[in-house]
Amino acid sequence: MVEGSMTQGAGQEPVVRTATLRDFRVPPYARVPVQGQRLEPPAGHPVVPDEIVRPVADPTLHLGLGTSARSPLTPPVSLSAALPGHPGNAFPDDEFPEGYTPTERDLPVINRGDTVQVRVDPVPSPAPAPAADEGPGPLYVVGDVHGYLDELVAALREQGLIDEAGAWSAGNARLWFLGDFTDRGPDGIGVIDLVMRLSAEAAAAGGYCKALMGNHELLLIGAKRFGDTPVNSGAGTATFQAAWLLNGGQKHDMDRLQDVHMQWMSRLDAVVEEDGHLLMHSDTTAYLDYGSTIEDVNETVHETINRNDADEVWDLFRKFTKRFAFRDDGGPEAVQELLSTYGGSRVVHGHSPIPYLLGQVGTEDGEGGSGPGVDGPHVYADGLAIAMDGGVTMAGKLLVVQLPLHG
């Protein structure tokens, strides 16, 4: 990692931040290498330890999640044996892909004592699929994946949703992903390919596997469509390409991104209601800006993306990047506003990592050999909100949980 430098937004004082792909004016040494080259710091920029950085004023300047605590020296177990034909499983067994460039996180730590973490033990084996006339199957949700394909497959297996070969094995169960499939982790396109395949297999078995739009889907769509086209960020001129790099965009994902992936992401809904649970990606009330019903919100989001206007998509991305609306004293009221507008009795979201909401600090230096202590979802805002981002990018846990929660 290279030394820190100074960046400024319009009208802001200088802010010290870590010099990972960090500025909308991406300097030459921070540009992603071509295929086959590894990213190396240039001469004159010595490698220094990770540093704590101050959060910037504009949340769109840095999405605030970042580094995987995993080092290229300690890769996760490969899925090549489990998913021999999976198109996203394109990497060797013993290393991350070339050009894999984790970024550093700088979310503020929130130390709160009025919340509870619910431990969820995996189901030991899948339950027999109910007959077609027995109604819908059990409901499961998945938190932010961010390219960690191996961890996703392991978590789905623990819940009995897929078998040892990686195929759907849960009959008419219902599975919702809460968004953020790519960036930061080693195989974002592999994650999308897996979700797309499971969607077809689940439908054939009488269930379904569906997904919501996350801010990183909007970021990847924008980087692919608009590249270096300037947009008005509200804090000076920005580009989707630079913002994508700054927030963990991986060149090997962009290289493998196809039209089918773009079409799939562009059609994702932003919010749904299932069994009294209002499912959305971000812990923000910005959804209210896009309609007074769930149908209105999803239609407006789809229309915004399809109009292909860079500034409009940027504004959508910026609003979906907001977070922490449900914490602090006004949190329950914010959740209630969403529930009274769209329905449901609880909001279930991803986006903001549980380790931060619990006041834990990720173990980037590997001290103690363990990551943040995430055992399950995080229930807060007077029990009205459930956070599902277990912090897999900081060696936390990728959560797959059956709803409703008990205990």
Side-chain angles (χ1 to χ4, degrees):
M1 187 166 300
V2 293
E3 289 183 324
S5 73
M6 309 296 287
T7 61
Q8 285 183 262
Q12 297 175 355
E13 292 299 319
V15 177
V16 177
R17 60 161 69 244
T18 303
T20 52
L21 305 172
R22 67 195 182 283
D23 196 283
F24 287 121
R25 299 177 299 282
V26 180
Y29 63 79
R31 290 175 185 156
V32 175
V34 297
Q35 192 69 26
Q37 294 180 338
R38 294 192 180 276
L39 188 65
E40 299 290 346
H45 292 274
V47 175
V48 296
D50 288 346
E51 60 187 304
I52 298 175
V53 294
R54 291 162 45 200
V56 295
D58 181 359
T60 63
L61 294 182
H62 196 293
L63 299 195
L65 301 180
T67 323
S68 159
R70 297 170 177 80
S71 162
L73 299 178
T74 57
V77 178
S78 172
L79 295 178
S80 56
L83 299 173
H86 184 57
N89 187 36
F91 304 129
D93 292 354
D94 58 350
E95 63 181 25
F96 283 121
E98 292 196 6
Y100 171 41
T101 55
T103 57
E104 184 169 9
R105 66 185 185 276
D106 64 355
L107 265 180
V109 174
I110 302 159
N111 189 8
R112 297 184 58 81
D114 59 352
T115 56
V116 62
Q117 194 175 1
V118 179
R119 181 177 181 86
V120 178
D121 296 320
V123 177
S125 60
D133 59 355
E134 293 184 12
L139 175 65
Y140 294 82
V141 290
V142 184
D144 300 37
V145 182
H146 280 300
Y148 285 98
L149 178 61
D150 292 349
E151 287 80 354
L152 173 60
V153 168
L156 293 173
R157 281 178 180 160
E158 278 190 334
Q159 290 289 359
L161 295 167
I162 62 174
D163 60 22
E164 288 301 311
W168 181 262
S169 61
N172 70 345
R174 298 167 292 159
L175 179 63
W176 274 102
F177 285 80
L178 299 181
D180 278 9
F181 301 99
T182 68
D183 303 337
R184 301 196 176 96
D187 196 359
I189 298 302
V191 170
I192 292 177
D193 284 334
L194 174 62
V195 177
M196 292 173 65
R197 175 170 63 78
L198 291 179
S199 297
E201 295 175 0
Y208 63 69
C209 170
K210 299 182 180 181
L212 293 179
M213 176 78 71
N215 58 311
H216 279 263
E217 281 68 63
L218 291 167
L219 188 57
L220 183 57
I221 289 170
K224 178 68 172 180
R225 285 187 182 174
F226 307 118
D228 290 324
T229 301
V231 295
N232 183 5
S233 72
T237 300
T239 72
F240 270 105
Q241 174 73 7
W244 174 70
L245 291 173
L246 176 68
N247 290 284
Q250 304 296 320
K251 184 179 183 297
H252 54 269
D253 281 343
M254 187 65 77
D255 288 343
R256 294 183 297 146
L257 183 63
Q258 301 175 24
D259 287 344
V260 65
H261 302 127
M262 290 286 288
Q263 293 168 5
W264 181 80
M265 288 189 294
S266 298
R267 295 169 181 165
L268 296 177
D269 285 338
V271 58
V272 298
E273 189 270 332
E274 291 280 1
D275 297 354
H277 299 90
L278 190 62
L279 309 181
M280 56 182 59
H281 174 69
S282 305
D283 45 328
T284 178
T285 58
Y287 295 89
L288 296 167
D289 295 345
Y290 293 94
S292 58
T293 68
I294 289 175
E295 293 75 16
D296 289 344
V297 173
N298 293 330
E299 182 177 354
T300 302
V301 169
H302 295 154
E303 289 176 349
T304 300
I305 294 172
N306 290 333
R307 274 196 296 271
N308 216 34
D309 181 282
D311 284 319
E312 284 192 350
V313 177
W314 179 270
D315 189 60
L316 181 63
F317 155 69
R318 179 181 64 83
K319 289 180 178 178
F320 276 32
T321 301
K322 294 180 178 179
R323 62 174 86 247
F324 300 145
F326 310 149
R327 66 179 180 91
D328 299 330
D329 294 339
E333 289 76 16
V335 179
Q336 285 284 16
E337 185 178 10
L338 288 165
L339 296 175
S340 63
T341 301
Y342 301 128
S345 57
R346 263 184 171 179
V347 164
V348 182
H349 69 86
H351 190 48
S352 291
I354 292 171
Y356 284 106
L357 295 174
L358 293 176
Q360 299 172 340
V361 178
T363 55
E364 289 180 309
D365 57 4
E367 183 178 353
S370 63
V374 177
D375 293 320
H378 179 52
V379 181
Y380 66 118
D382 292 347
L384 296 174
I386 301 174
M388 282 290 301
D389 183 352
V392 67
T393 63
M394 57 189 74
K397 186 176 183 179
L398 201 161
L399 296 177
V400 179
V401 173
Q402 183 175 351
L403 297 177
L405 294 179
H406 299 289

